[in-house]
Amino acid sequence: MKIDILTVLPELLESPFAHSILKRAKEKNLLEVNVHNLRQWAVNEYGQVDDYQYGGGAGMVMMCEPLANAIEALSKEKKFDEIIYMTPDGEKLDQKMANQLSMKENLLIICGHYKGIDDRIRENFITKEISIGDYVLSGGELPAAIVVDAIGRLIPGVLNNETSALFDSFQDNLLAPPVYTRPADFRNLKVPEILLSGDPKKVDEWRNEQSLQRTKERRPDLLDEQ
Ligand code: SAH
């Protein structure tokens, strides 16, 4: 899978993909992330990509021309399955959306800044708008990194143990069961006996029960979705 990201702050996206699971995904050639500086398509030599908003009011708006030119230039190199704009008024990211996006081949993600991007770009170039939650951040870079992380770990072969993503929270609308590691006795706090039993069937049953119980307690709404 290839993900291209368009941003005015490429430095913000250096670290998130350079470590851990996403690093491994890149090394295994399962995921390629290319970050592009929107200022390459600036309207003048000062690197301008934003301007005052029509109708007045504080805050700059990202201009049509650099965005349209960038999208068109990048689209010549590959056909994007989705051209995504990160925005607080988009469709809220969830595990189901991450699963769907992980099956695509080429994605372009656009990070907004300031007041956001000119609405004509949203209307005419963007195919999907994603929010990471009901709060406002100052730029689309961290949201884009979250989307890439959520998708990247679902690409088959990225996680060491192929099945492990299947047991994460929200897959099957259930929260994950509690987990423990050594020592079995920490300051007299004991690991549940059953996990030490060595009986995989019993352990599985216990985990399923715990998942269900946690979901009932913490997110009963997930059970209604089934
Ligand atoms: N004025 C806009 C917010 C602009 S925030 C509004 O009220 O809707 C600046 C940029 O940060 C946005 O263009 C978007 O790309 C990004 N951003 C902020 N919060 C976000 C969120 N919850 N989800 C996704 N992107 C977000």
Side-chain angles (χ1 to χ4, degrees), residues 85-88 111-117 130-133 135-140 143:
Y85 174 48
M86 301 309 306
T87 176
C111 308
H113 251 275
Y114 322 110
K115 278 268 135 192
I117 67 175
I130 305 178
S131 163
I132 58 156
Y135 40 84
V136 177
L137 302 169
S138 38

